[in-house]
Amino acid sequence: MPARPSASRRTVLRGAAVTPVAALGLAACKAPAGGTSADATPTAPVDLGAESEVAKGGAKLYREHNVVVSRTADGALQAYSTICTHAGCPINKLQGTTLVCPCHGSEFDAVSGKVVRSPATEPLKELPVKAVNGRIVAGPGA
């Protein structure tokens, strides 16, 4: 059985140099300090506010509940989780009907939940939503 050659000094140094770079790449896709990757789906119905706050063809971001609610041109309500599907960062910016993730710049259509700009590739999670006595309620049982 032939003897196995030992690693050269150059091979060991190359491996030591690559390890921190790989760790940086992994850290780049995590939520920022103070961010969360918590489950965005409300565990119970959540009263988000007056139904009149969301105009036809518009959207409203409810940061404290990680939910965006939009209204189609025909008046139907839709709700989506605002936890980015790329790295779990909470989305905190709504421009018109476009949600913008602060971590890596992914963008989503608040009306359809679809990705409009990568690096995210998966759409936002749709949530149950309905109007009850003029109030918007989202989450299980809604």
Side-chain angles (χ1 to χ4, degrees):
M1 189 181 220
R4 185 172 180 200
S6 61
S8 70
R9 180 171 183 248
R10 180 176 288 157
T11 302
V12 171
L13 291 174
R14 189 177 298 140
V18 169
T19 301
V21 173
L24 285 174
L26 289 173
C29 284
K30 292 189 177 189
T36 180
S37 59
D39 185 13
T41 305
T43 57
V46 179
D47 183 330
L48 297 173
E51 184 181 6
S52 60
E53 293 178 349
V54 182
K56 285 184 181 181
K60 181 167 178 167
L61 177 60
Y62 298 91
R63 286 185 191 103
E64 64 280 1
H65 297 291
N66 293 324
V67 174
V68 65
V69 175
S70 61
R71 189 182 296 274
T72 62
D74 66 358
L77 291 173
Q78 296 172 302
Y80 297 93
S81 161
T82 56
I83 297 299
C84 182
T85 58
H86 172 245
C89 297
I91 299 171
N92 61 3
K93 188 175 187 180
L94 178 64
Q95 296 175 324
T97 58
T98 301
L99 292 159
V100 181
C101 180
C103 294
H104 304 107
S106 292
E107 295 182 4
F108 300 86
D109 178 9
V111 177
S112 68
K114 293 181 180 177
V115 176
V116 294
R117 182 173 168 207
S118 61
T121 58
E122 296 294 319
L124 295 172
K125 180 179 178 183
E126 189 167 3
L127 303 173
V129 63
K130 65 182 175 184
V132 178
N133 298 323
R135 309 283 296 171
I136 298 171
V137 178

